[in-house]
Amino acid sequence: MTDNVQQAPKVRKKFKFRLTRRAFSYPYILFLMIFVVVPLVLILVNAFIYDGAFSFQNFADFFNVGTSKGLSVLWKSIVIGLMTTVICLIIGYPLALILSKMKAGKLLILFFMLPMWINFLIRTLATKAIFDAMGVTLGMGTVIFGMVYNYLPFMIMPLYNSISNIDKSYSEAALDLGADKMTVLVKTILPLSFPGILSGITMVFIPAISTFAITEILSDRQIYLFGDSIQNMFSQNMYGVGSVMSLVMLVLVLISNLILNRFGAKDESGSVVL
Amino acid sequence: MMKRFDILKKTFSYTYVVLIMALLYAPILLIIVFSFSGNARFSFSQGFTLASYKEIFSSDSFDGLMSALKNTVVIAVISSVCSTILGSISAIGIHSLRKKMRTIVSAVNQIPIINSEIVVAVSLMIFFSTFAFPQGYVRLILSHISFCTPYVVLSVLPLLQRMDKNIYEAALDLGSTPTKALFKVLLPNLVPGIVSGFIMAFTLSLDDFIITQINKGAGTGIETLSTYIYEDARVKSISPYWFAVFSIIFVVVITLLLLANIRKLKKSEDK
């Protein structure tokens, strides 16, 4: 890898100015092909290999609900993911709205993002320790709490960005034209912050369904979600079904990104860095 | 009447903000406070004690913890330096690509960012085992470079797009060689993006759990801080000495982040 990087300046000398700069990207293009494209192609290939031969058996296994390995786990994950997303949205939207109106909002948002930079595993274990000490039985409730706790900042950030970017004159115009504050919120701010809402939903929902380890820790290994199951499949050497599940996850990611691009919500997510 | 309602609303708003903030920080603060209690029951029945902190150094797992810390830092330094170099150079290259090619490369560059981490992790695992990459450090560092570099590219590219093309060309017109113009004109302009890309890559690598956990290989015995914690703490309930370790991590991370953002904080205070 490092060799590639060092080669770049050498290549430079051979070409004239325009071409040279373009050549700077060639090592990385190669790198992307090897470490991003090829691994994904391998997943695709593995999804069709069963017992060393081409087959649709892995897909059949995945869609066979009785095995409780594929579709049923996905369904459970989607339900938990949706609950997490809705709770995050309900908590996050008023918060983003309040913060966007406060002078210190920009500063406060930094403090809402801070905990995110502590490893999620440590935060989850800390929450678990507290639940243990309080004698709370671990289960669905604690899992949802843990997920909301973990993903709430991902919801607040895009919502805050999108609400605070709304031109104030829109709300002022609505007020001048006789709308009361509630109407302004519902008819002006809410629709204008739609890209932020969409972005927040994706940034919570997608990681939530593919979550790994959080549910395991906070449910005392009773609840396993899609992310955990993908890992389980591979650790049991069931590469085929594991690959099918990864493909499903990949499709979900691509669909959500298509939707985001379509509504121009991409930029709303902002930098997750402080 | 209206005024009283406004005050009520304001109080309610502030309470709400404080409440959510408190909820987010509660686990962190509780762990820090009770790291001085010497037990994991969240009670000060034994009074104030540094026992948990002493236990870090006396427990059998001290060596394991230290080697995990060392691995975490080594992997983060190597992979973030490599990602920063690779990412910055290629951002310059990507910027000068033709539009169609640039769109394709940018799209592929997005994949590791938007993709769910578990899928990135297993795809790399299949890839490494298919082509028999040596287990351990090689796999871990390569995988970390592959998920960190896209972020570096993304933080350098906007600066290139915003940069005045004429500056670079003026340097050439004034007799500078392209190499000299690159180092004296182009690169200095990109420094903010390169630095934030580096910080991003470093923190992402430090923070990573899923990709490391899946690609570390069973036989190598290489653990980073997060995988070590996972192996140790998920099985048993969390022993008091983890409270002390977590507290140290909390304080270090939050201090570093505040330091890194102090300029930004000051700026927003000025406003």
mmCIF file with all atom_site columns, all heavy atoms in Angstrom, chain B residues 6-22:
data_model
loop_
_atom_site.group_PDB
_atom_site.id
_atom_site.type_symbol
_atom_site.label_atom_id
_atom_site.label_alt_id
_atom_site.label_comp_id
_atom_site.label_asym_id
_atom_site.label_entity_id
_atom_site.label_seq_id
_atom_site.pdbx_PDB_ins_code
_atom_site.Cartn_x
_atom_site.Cartn_y
_atom_site.Cartn_z
_atom_site.occupancy
_atom_site.B_iso_or_equiv
_atom_site.pdbx_formal_charge
_atom_site.auth_seq_id
_atom_site.auth_comp_id
_atom_site.auth_asym_id
_atom_site.auth_atom_id
_atom_site.pdbx_PDB_model_num
ATOM 1   N N   . ASP B 1 6  ? -44.953 32.902 27.712 1.00 0.00 ? 6  ASP B N   1
ATOM 2   C CA  . ASP B 1 6  ? -43.638 32.806 27.090 1.00 0.00 ? 6  ASP B CA  1
ATOM 3   C C   . ASP B 1 6  ? -42.586 32.317 28.077 1.00 0.00 ? 6  ASP B C   1
ATOM 4   O O   . ASP B 1 6  ? -41.738 31.493 27.742 1.00 0.00 ? 6  ASP B O   1
ATOM 5   C CB  . ASP B 1 6  ? -43.215 34.166 26.519 1.00 0.00 ? 6  ASP B CB  1
ATOM 6   C CG  . ASP B 1 6  ? -43.751 34.345 25.103 1.00 0.00 ? 6  ASP B CG  1
ATOM 7   O OD1 . ASP B 1 6  ? -44.365 33.373 24.597 1.00 0.00 ? 6  ASP B OD1 1
ATOM 8   O OD2 . ASP B 1 6  ? -43.577 35.430 24.529 1.00 0.00 ? 6  ASP B OD2 1
ATOM 9   N N   . ILE B 1 7  ? -42.672 32.889 29.299 1.00 0.00 ? 7  ILE B N   1
ATOM 10  C CA  . ILE B 1 7  ? -41.709 32.471 30.316 1.00 0.00 ? 7  ILE B CA  1
ATOM 11  C C   . ILE B 1 7  ? -41.869 30.995 30.630 1.00 0.00 ? 7  ILE B C   1
ATOM 12  O O   . ILE B 1 7  ? -40.906 30.238 30.703 1.00 0.00 ? 7  ILE B O   1
ATOM 13  C CB  . ILE B 1 7  ? -41.878 33.320 31.604 1.00 0.00 ? 7  ILE B CB  1
ATOM 14  C CG1 . ILE B 1 7  ? -41.472 34.764 31.311 1.00 0.00 ? 7  ILE B CG1 1
ATOM 15  C CG2 . ILE B 1 7  ? -41.045 32.749 32.738 1.00 0.00 ? 7  ILE B CG2 1
ATOM 16  C CD1 . ILE B 1 7  ? -41.832 35.728 32.406 1.00 0.00 ? 7  ILE B CD1 1
ATOM 17  N N   . LEU B 1 8  ? -43.107 30.586 30.717 1.00 0.00 ? 8  LEU B N   1
ATOM 18  C CA  . LEU B 1 8  ? -43.409 29.183 30.988 1.00 0.00 ? 8  LEU B CA  1
ATOM 19  C C   . LEU B 1 8  ? -42.818 28.303 29.893 1.00 0.00 ? 8  LEU B C   1
ATOM 20  O O   . LEU B 1 8  ? -42.192 27.276 30.158 1.00 0.00 ? 8  LEU B O   1
ATOM 21  C CB  . LEU B 1 8  ? -44.932 29.016 31.047 1.00 0.00 ? 8  LEU B CB  1
ATOM 22  C CG  . LEU B 1 8  ? -45.425 27.789 31.821 1.00 0.00 ? 8  LEU B CG  1
ATOM 23  C CD1 . LEU B 1 8  ? -45.213 28.008 33.310 1.00 0.00 ? 8  LEU B CD1 1
ATOM 24  C CD2 . LEU B 1 8  ? -46.899 27.535 31.521 1.00 0.00 ? 8  LEU B CD2 1
ATOM 25  N N   . LYS B 1 9  ? -43.008 28.763 28.658 1.00 0.00 ? 9  LYS B N   1
ATOM 26  C CA  . LYS B 1 9  ? -42.533 27.996 27.521 1.00 0.00 ? 9  LYS B CA  1
ATOM 27  C C   . LYS B 1 9  ? -41.009 27.891 27.539 1.00 0.00 ? 9  LYS B C   1
ATOM 28  O O   . LYS B 1 9  ? -40.432 26.849 27.279 1.00 0.00 ? 9  LYS B O   1
ATOM 29  C CB  . LYS B 1 9  ? -42.997 28.677 26.223 1.00 0.00 ? 9  LYS B CB  1
ATOM 30  C CG  . LYS B 1 9  ? -43.297 27.680 25.124 1.00 0.00 ? 9  LYS B CG  1
ATOM 31  C CD  . LYS B 1 9  ? -43.882 28.360 23.926 1.00 0.00 ? 9  LYS B CD  1
ATOM 32  C CE  . LYS B 1 9  ? -42.811 28.593 22.893 1.00 0.00 ? 9  LYS B CE  1
ATOM 33  N NZ  . LYS B 1 9  ? -43.297 29.332 21.736 1.00 0.00 ? 9  LYS B NZ  1
ATOM 34  N N   . LYS B 1 10 ? -40.390 29.009 27.870 1.00 0.00 ? 10 LYS B N   1
ATOM 35  C CA  . LYS B 1 10 ? -38.934 29.059 27.902 1.00 0.00 ? 10 LYS B CA  1
ATOM 36  C C   . LYS B 1 10 ? -38.407 28.110 28.980 1.00 0.00 ? 10 LYS B C   1
ATOM 37  O O   . LYS B 1 10 ? -37.469 27.358 28.744 1.00 0.00 ? 10 LYS B O   1
ATOM 38  C CB  . LYS B 1 10 ? -38.463 30.484 28.186 1.00 0.00 ? 10 LYS B CB  1
ATOM 39  C CG  . LYS B 1 10 ? -37.198 30.818 27.417 1.00 0.00 ? 10 LYS B CG  1
ATOM 40  C CD  . LYS B 1 10 ? -36.994 32.302 27.343 1.00 0.00 ? 10 LYS B CD  1
ATOM 41  C CE  . LYS B 1 10 ? -36.143 32.629 26.131 1.00 0.00 ? 10 LYS B CE  1
ATOM 42  N NZ  . LYS B 1 10 ? -35.979 34.045 25.932 1.00 0.00 ? 10 LYS B NZ  1
ATOM 43  N N   . THR B 1 11 ? -39.036 28.175 30.164 1.00 0.00 ? 11 THR B N   1
ATOM 44  C CA  . THR B 1 11 ? -38.610 27.297 31.253 1.00 0.00 ? 11 THR B CA  1
ATOM 45  C C   . THR B 1 11 ? -38.743 25.847 30.833 1.00 0.00 ? 11 THR B C   1
ATOM 46  O O   . THR B 1 11 ? -37.861 25.033 31.044 1.00 0.00 ? 11 THR B O   1
ATOM 47  C CB  . THR B 1 11 ? -39.474 27.517 32.514 1.00 0.00 ? 11 THR B CB  1
ATOM 48  O OG1 . THR B 1 11 ? -39.862 28.874 32.562 1.00 0.00 ? 11 THR B OG1 1
ATOM 49  C CG2 . THR B 1 11 ? -38.733 27.119 33.759 1.00 0.00 ? 11 THR B CG2 1
ATOM 50  N N   . PHE B 1 12 ? -39.873 25.570 30.209 1.00 0.00 ? 12 PHE B N   1
ATOM 51  C CA  . PHE B 1 12 ? -40.110 24.202 29.762 1.00 0.00 ? 12 PHE B CA  1
ATOM 52  C C   . PHE B 1 12 ? -39.034 23.766 28.757 1.00 0.00 ? 12 PHE B C   1
ATOM 53  O O   . PHE B 1 12 ? -38.484 22.679 28.862 1.00 0.00 ? 12 PHE B O   1
ATOM 54  C CB  . PHE B 1 12 ? -41.502 24.103 29.124 1.00 0.00 ? 12 PHE B CB  1
ATOM 55  C CG  . PHE B 1 12 ? -41.814 22.738 28.612 1.00 0.00 ? 12 PHE B CG  1
ATOM 56  C CD1 . PHE B 1 12 ? -42.166 21.722 29.490 1.00 0.00 ? 12 PHE B CD1 1
ATOM 57  C CD2 . PHE B 1 12 ? -41.739 22.449 27.252 1.00 0.00 ? 12 PHE B CD2 1
ATOM 58  C CE1 . PHE B 1 12 ? -42.445 20.443 29.029 1.00 0.00 ? 12 PHE B CE1 1
ATOM 59  C CE2 . PHE B 1 12 ? -42.009 21.180 26.781 1.00 0.00 ? 12 PHE B CE2 1
ATOM 60  C CZ  . PHE B 1 12 ? -42.364 20.181 27.674 1.00 0.00 ? 12 PHE B CZ  1
ATOM 61  N N   . SER B 1 13 ? -38.722 24.655 27.801 1.00 0.00 ? 13 SER B N   1
ATOM 62  C CA  . SER B 1 13 ? -37.717 24.341 26.789 1.00 0.00 ? 13 SER B CA  1
ATOM 63  C C   . SER B 1 13 ? -36.371 24.038 27.426 1.00 0.00 ? 13 SER B C   1
ATOM 64  O O   . SER B 1 13 ? -35.731 23.038 27.114 1.00 0.00 ? 13 SER B O   1
ATOM 65  C CB  . SER B 1 13 ? -37.536 25.510 25.823 1.00 0.00 ? 13 SER B CB  1
ATOM 66  O OG  . SER B 1 13 ? -38.750 25.831 25.234 1.00 0.00 ? 13 SER B OG  1
ATOM 67  N N   . TYR B 1 14 ? -35.946 24.942 28.325 1.00 0.00 ? 14 TYR B N   1
ATOM 68  C CA  . TYR B 1 14 ? -34.639 24.745 28.955 1.00 0.00 ? 14 TYR B CA  1
ATOM 69  C C   . TYR B 1 14 ? -34.607 23.456 29.763 1.00 0.00 ? 14 TYR B C   1
ATOM 70  O O   . TYR B 1 14 ? -33.637 22.703 29.711 1.00 0.00 ? 14 TYR B O   1
ATOM 71  C CB  . TYR B 1 14 ? -34.291 25.943 29.850 1.00 0.00 ? 14 TYR B CB  1
ATOM 72  C CG  . TYR B 1 14 ? -33.941 27.188 29.069 1.00 0.00 ? 14 TYR B CG  1
ATOM 73  C CD1 . TYR B 1 14 ? -33.967 28.449 29.655 1.00 0.00 ? 14 TYR B CD1 1
ATOM 74  C CD2 . TYR B 1 14 ? -33.574 27.089 27.731 1.00 0.00 ? 14 TYR B CD2 1
ATOM 75  C CE1 . TYR B 1 14 ? -33.644 29.588 28.918 1.00 0.00 ? 14 TYR B CE1 1
ATOM 76  C CE2 . TYR B 1 14 ? -33.259 28.221 26.994 1.00 0.00 ? 14 TYR B CE2 1
ATOM 77  C CZ  . TYR B 1 14 ? -33.296 29.471 27.590 1.00 0.00 ? 14 TYR B CZ  1
ATOM 78  O OH  . TYR B 1 14 ? -32.977 30.582 26.863 1.00 0.00 ? 14 TYR B OH  1
ATOM 79  N N   . THR B 1 15 ? -35.703 23.199 30.491 1.00 0.00 ? 15 THR B N   1
ATOM 80  C CA  . THR B 1 15 ? -35.764 21.972 31.286 1.00 0.00 ? 15 THR B CA  1
ATOM 81  C C   . THR B 1 15 ? -35.607 20.757 30.381 1.00 0.00 ? 15 THR B C   1
ATOM 82  O O   . THR B 1 15 ? -34.887 19.819 30.706 1.00 0.00 ? 15 THR B O   1
ATOM 83  C CB  . THR B 1 15 ? -37.115 21.864 32.027 1.00 0.00 ? 15 THR B CB  1
ATOM 84  O OG1 . THR B 1 15 ? -37.463 23.150 32.508 1.00 0.00 ? 15 THR B OG1 1
ATOM 85  C CG2 . THR B 1 15 ? -37.033 20.878 33.166 1.00 0.00 ? 15 THR B CG2 1
ATOM 86  N N   . TYR B 1 16 ? -36.279 20.814 29.240 1.00 0.00 ? 16 TYR B N   1
ATOM 87  C CA  . TYR B 1 16 ? -36.228 19.702 28.301 1.00 0.00 ? 16 TYR B CA  1
ATOM 88  C C   . TYR B 1 16 ? -34.790 19.454 27.828 1.00 0.00 ? 16 TYR B C   1
ATOM 89  O O   . TYR B 1 16 ? -34.302 18.332 27.849 1.00 0.00 ? 16 TYR B O   1
ATOM 90  C CB  . TYR B 1 16 ? -37.147 19.989 27.114 1.00 0.00 ? 16 TYR B CB  1
ATOM 91  C CG  . TYR B 1 16 ? -37.295 18.840 26.160 1.00 0.00 ? 16 TYR B CG  1
ATOM 92  C CD1 . TYR B 1 16 ? -37.986 17.696 26.543 1.00 0.00 ? 16 TYR B CD1 1
ATOM 93  C CD2 . TYR B 1 16 ? -36.753 18.892 24.874 1.00 0.00 ? 16 TYR B CD2 1
ATOM 94  C CE1 . TYR B 1 16 ? -38.132 16.635 25.678 1.00 0.00 ? 16 TYR B CE1 1
ATOM 95  C CE2 . TYR B 1 16 ? -36.896 17.831 24.003 1.00 0.00 ? 16 TYR B CE2 1
ATOM 96  C CZ  . TYR B 1 16 ? -37.584 16.715 24.408 1.00 0.00 ? 16 TYR B CZ  1
ATOM 97  O OH  . TYR B 1 16 ? -37.725 15.656 23.545 1.00 0.00 ? 16 TYR B OH  1
ATOM 98  N N   . VAL B 1 17 ? -34.124 20.544 27.413 1.00 0.00 ? 17 VAL B N   1
ATOM 99  C CA  . VAL B 1 17 ? -32.742 20.428 26.936 1.00 0.00 ? 17 VAL B CA  1
ATOM 100 C C   . VAL B 1 17 ? -31.853 19.842 28.032 1.00 0.00 ? 17 VAL B C   1
ATOM 101 O O   . VAL B 1 17 ? -31.083 18.907 27.799 1.00 0.00 ? 17 VAL B O   1
ATOM 102 C CB  . VAL B 1 17 ? -32.194 21.801 26.482 1.00 0.00 ? 17 VAL B CB  1
ATOM 103 C CG1 . VAL B 1 17 ? -30.716 21.710 26.172 1.00 0.00 ? 17 VAL B CG1 1
ATOM 104 C CG2 . VAL B 1 17 ? -32.952 22.285 25.263 1.00 0.00 ? 17 VAL B CG2 1
ATOM 105 N N   . VAL B 1 18 ? -32.007 20.397 29.242 1.00 0.00 ? 18 VAL B N   1
ATOM 106 C CA  . VAL B 1 18 ? -31.168 19.933 30.355 1.00 0.00 ? 18 VAL B CA  1
ATOM 107 C C   . VAL B 1 18 ? -31.445 18.459 30.660 1.00 0.00 ? 18 VAL B C   1
ATOM 108 O O   . VAL B 1 18 ? -30.521 17.672 30.889 1.00 0.00 ? 18 VAL B O   1
ATOM 109 C CB  . VAL B 1 18 ? -31.413 20.800 31.612 1.00 0.00 ? 18 VAL B CB  1
ATOM 110 C CG1 . VAL B 1 18 ? -30.739 20.188 32.828 1.00 0.00 ? 18 VAL B CG1 1
ATOM 111 C CG2 . VAL B 1 18 ? -30.913 22.207 31.378 1.00 0.00 ? 18 VAL B CG2 1
ATOM 112 N N   . LEU B 1 19 ? -32.726 18.099 30.595 1.00 0.00 ? 19 LEU B N   1
ATOM 113 C CA  . LEU B 1 19 ? -33.121 16.723 30.910 1.00 0.00 ? 19 LEU B CA  1
ATOM 114 C C   . LEU B 1 19 ? -32.475 15.719 29.948 1.00 0.00 ? 19 LEU B C   1
ATOM 115 O O   . LEU B 1 19 ? -31.887 14.717 30.373 1.00 0.00 ? 19 LEU B O   1
ATOM 116 C CB  . LEU B 1 19 ? -34.650 16.615 30.831 1.00 0.00 ? 19 LEU B CB  1
ATOM 117 C CG  . LEU B 1 19 ? -35.266 15.449 31.572 1.00 0.00 ? 19 LEU B CG  1
ATOM 118 C CD1 . LEU B 1 19 ? -35.260 15.721 33.055 1.00 0.00 ? 19 LEU B CD1 1
ATOM 119 C CD2 . LEU B 1 19 ? -36.682 15.200 31.074 1.00 0.00 ? 19 LEU B CD2 1
ATOM 120 N N   . ILE B 1 20 ? -32.577 16.007 28.656 1.00 0.00 ? 20 ILE B N   1
ATOM 121 C CA  . ILE B 1 20 ? -32.016 15.086 27.667 1.00 0.00 ? 20 ILE B CA  1
ATOM 122 C C   . ILE B 1 20 ? -30.490 15.033 27.799 1.00 0.00 ? 20 ILE B C   1
ATOM 123 O O   . ILE B 1 20 ? -29.873 13.971 27.726 1.00 0.00 ? 20 ILE B O   1
ATOM 124 C CB  . ILE B 1 20 ? -32.401 15.513 26.229 1.00 0.00 ? 20 ILE B CB  1
ATOM 125 C CG1 . ILE B 1 20 ? -33.925 15.602 26.079 1.00 0.00 ? 20 ILE B CG1 1
ATOM 126 C CG2 . ILE B 1 20 ? -31.837 14.532 25.214 1.00 0.00 ? 20 ILE B CG2 1
ATOM 127 C CD1 . ILE B 1 20 ? -34.640 14.290 26.139 1.00 0.00 ? 20 ILE B CD1 1
ATOM 128 N N   . MET B 1 21 ? -29.907 16.210 28.003 1.00 0.00 ? 21 MET B N   1
ATOM 129 C CA  . MET B 1 21 ? -28.454 16.266 28.181 1.00 0.00 ? 21 MET B CA  1
ATOM 130 C C   . MET B 1 21 ? -28.042 15.416 29.387 1.00 0.00 ? 21 MET B C   1
ATOM 131 O O   . MET B 1 21 ? -27.102 14.637 29.328 1.00 0.00 ? 21 MET B O   1
ATOM 132 C CB  . MET B 1 21 ? -28.028 17.722 28.392 1.00 0.00 ? 21 MET B CB  1
ATOM 133 C CG  . MET B 1 21 ? -26.540 17.927 28.517 1.00 0.00 ? 21 MET B CG  1
ATOM 134 S SD  . MET B 1 21 ? -25.758 18.311 26.964 1.00 0.00 ? 21 MET B SD  1
ATOM 135 C CE  . MET B 1 21 ? -26.087 20.035 26.786 1.00 0.00 ? 21 MET B CE  1
ATOM 136 N N   . ALA B 1 22 ? -28.805 15.571 30.477 1.00 0.00 ? 22 ALA B N   1
ATOM 137 C CA  . ALA B 1 22 ? -28.504 14.811 31.699 1.00 0.00 ? 22 ALA B CA  1
ATOM 138 C C   . ALA B 1 22 ? -28.594 13.311 31.426 1.00 0.00 ? 22 ALA B C   1
ATOM 139 O O   . ALA B 1 22 ? -27.746 12.532 31.864 1.00 0.00 ? 22 ALA B O   1
ATOM 140 C CB  . ALA B 1 22 ? -29.467 15.209 32.813 1.00 0.00 ? 22 ALA B CB  1
#
